[in-house]
Amino acid sequence: MLIASRNRLARLQYGPNGFRVLAPGDHVLCAVTGAPIGLDELRYWSVARQEAYATAALSVQAALDAARGA
């Protein structure tokens, strides 16, 4: 029996070349905006902070904020 993972938050481990699904789901949340990101649309994340981002601009913003200690 397959467990439906539709409309469920996934838990991922982010690596330099991809991510590994630790808990099944169909989306993650953007670390900056909190907006849902479908796993098929996920392109930006931080390996060091283990966070996902909806856009490249949000990824850069998060990196700059982390560098400033914000």
Side-chain angles (χ1 to χ4, degrees):
M1 179 166 102
L2 295 174
I3 297 173
S5 59
R6 192 174 266 230
N7 294 322
R8 255 179 90 183
L9 185 64
R11 196 165 51 99
L12 307 178
Q13 179 180 26
Y14 302 101
N17 298 318
F19 54 83
R20 191 173 111 205
V21 177
L22 301 176
D26 65 344
H27 69 281
V28 293
L29 299 178
C30 176
V32 176
T33 66
I37 309 165
L39 295 188
D40 56 336
E41 298 170 358
L42 180 58
R43 303 286 182 269
Y44 309 102
W45 59 82
S46 168
V47 175
R49 291 183 302 282
Q50 291 294 294
E51 297 177 336
Y53 309 105
T55 66
L58 290 171
S59 174
V60 171
Q61 176 185 334
L64 292 173
D65 290 347
R68 289 186 198 115

